[in-house]
Amino acid sequence: MKQEKIYKKQEDNDMPIAVIVGGQFGGEGKGKITAHLCRKYGFDIAVRCGGPNSGHTITVDDKPIVLRQIPAGVVNPYTQLFLAAGCLINLDVLFQEIDLFDLPPDRLKIDRNAVIIDKKYAQEEEIAGLNSRIGSTCTGTGVAVAKRALRAKDLKLAKDAPELKSYLTDVSREIIASHLNGEKIVIEGTQGFGLSVYHSPYYPYTTSRDTTASGFLSEVGVSPLVVSDIIIVIRTFPIRVGGNSGPLPNEIDWETVQRESGYPYKIQEFTTVTKRLRRVARFDLELVKKATIVNM
């Protein structure tokens, strides 16, 4: 009965919960899609998943801005912003972004069960050789994920951080209530399907989390039954971070991209977090097919 009521409610108010997913190895433009939905179509709520190991670029006053914690929906001053229970938070990065946009606690809400990344976590990843071994950004995100799974005594949640007290909420409860109230919601996923710790064909060259729509919904605490749209973002020339980050099928170089595109100027892309030169490849249809099957 409850499932039937949820379906009926969604049909009655026709208000979407859209999930943004990367279909390759990240860098597809998920932040731009989230920003577009909020700016152009007036989405009421934007929810961010994941941690500061991935950045989303938006444009404000014709200037690019990289966001690592708050949702890209910040471009619309009327969009309410949430960080999900599955988020992993670097307090320094978070407050830099809060200050940048002068965000008050009544606009940005953080789930009390989100994890705080201790500064020593990044050092632990470096000592473990994650950068040289799998191309990790070594932001401490993976260690934070592992400590949550281990129920480590030294792990701190958002509810344990005094500086976050005024921002705390139960994100799942608020999102469900907002949906039933007819508000439009976008869930902003991070990274890409090819980096999923569960579903990537290239493990262990993955991130520390699942990067599928179902994984993001789990982080937020929302049932798949109320989702109206899953938007998979892909790019013609997929990229992957530089260094020893793992396989990239059909890899080419940026000079080839420039020559074949006819673009008159040098083409290069750098990662938003580490500023390393990205690797680039030709379109891999098989990976996109698998991403589509798993996410739809």
Side-chain angles (χ1 to χ4, degrees):
M1 282 301 285
K2 289 183 179 180
Q3 291 183 4
E4 292 175 3
K5 289 181 180 178
I6 292 173
Y7 273 127
K8 190 173 189 303
K9 183 68 179 179
Q10 183 174 321
E11 292 169 359
D12 288 346
N13 62 35
D14 197 31
M15 290 299 164
I17 292 184
V19 186
I20 310 298
V21 180
Q24 294 152 318
F25 298 97
E28 302 95 349
K30 297 176 294 299
K32 292 179 175 62
I33 298 300
T34 298
H36 178 70
L37 291 177
C38 293
R39 180 183 278 149
K40 178 74 173 178
Y41 296 100
F43 270 60
D44 303 287
I45 290 173
V47 191
R48 173 79 185 240
C49 301
N53 55 333
S54 60
H56 291 170
T57 303
I58 61 173
T59 302
V60 178
D61 297 328
D62 297 324
K63 295 181 180 179
I65 294 177
V66 175
L67 300 174
R68 296 170 57 192
Q69 292 283 190
I70 65 173
V74 71
V75 297
N76 183 338
Y78 301 104
T79 298
Q80 185 81 26
L81 310 173
F82 289 89
L83 298 185
C87 276
L88 306 117
I89 298 173
N90 179 312
L91 290 175
D92 290 339
V93 174
L94 174 65
F95 280 104
Q96 286 172 8
E97 295 180 4
I98 287 175
D99 292 342
L100 179 63
F101 290 96
D102 194 22
L103 296 175
D106 62 349
R107 187 177 177 208
L108 173 65
K109 293 297 181 181
I110 301 170
D111 194 279
R112 56 178 58 93
N113 285 338
V115 166
I116 304 300
I117 300 175
D118 191 283
K119 292 180 180 179
K120 65 183 179 183
Y121 294 175
Q123 297 174 349
E124 291 182 35
E125 292 185 351
E126 291 173 359
I127 292 172
L130 287 182
N131 181 276
S132 59
R133 186 157 53 86
I134 60 171
S136 169
T137 56
C138 289
T139 58
T141 304
V143 168
V145 171
K147 284 182 174 288
R148 190 204 290 260
L150 291 169
R151 281 81 80 197
K153 291 182 179 180
D154 63 338
L155 182 71
K156 186 163 71 172
L157 301 182
K159 64 184 179 183
D160 303 317
E163 56 268 64
L164 296 181
K165 184 177 180 180
S166 60
Y167 296 93
L168 297 180
T169 192
D170 182 331
V171 169
S172 174
R173 183 178 63 190
E174 293 220 28
I175 296 304
I176 293 169
S178 297
H179 171 65
L180 294 176
N181 195 40
E183 296 185 68
K184 293 186 289 186
I185 300 160
V186 56
I187 295 173
E188 179 183 349
T190 57
Q191 301 174 295
F193 175 78
L195 298 176
S196 169
V197 72
Y198 298 142
H199 304 293
S200 171
Y202 305 114
Y203 182 89
Y205 296 97
T206 68
T207 190
S208 54
R209 304 161 39 254
D210 186 23
T211 52
T212 63
S214 55
F216 301 139
L217 290 170
S218 175
E219 290 190 20
V220 177
V222 175
S223 168
L225 295 175
V226 298
V227 172
S228 58
D229 300 279
I230 297 174
I231 301 171
I232 303 176
V233 188
I234 59 175
R235 50 186 294 164
T236 307
F237 292 94
I239 56 86
R240 190 159 189 165
V241 299
N244 187 27
S245 58
L248 180 59
N250 308 319
E251 185 168 358
I252 53 177
D253 55 38
W254 289 106
E255 289 76 14
T256 301
V257 176
Q258 179 185 352
R259 184 176 65 254
E260 294 186 358
S261 68
Y263 191 68
Y265 304 106
K266 185 176 182 179
I267 299 176
Q268 281 186 332
E269 286 189 28
F270 296 87
T271 56
T272 52
V273 175
T274 61
K275 306 304 178 185
R276 289 184 293 189
L277 180 66
R278 286 171 163 168
R279 298 156 60 197
V280 65
R282 298 191 187 281
F283 190 80
D284 181 359
L285 181 60
E286 292 307 310
L287 180 64
V288 173
K289 280 183 178 179
K290 184 172 182 180
T292 303
I293 292 169
V294 172
N295 282 289
M296 302 302 280

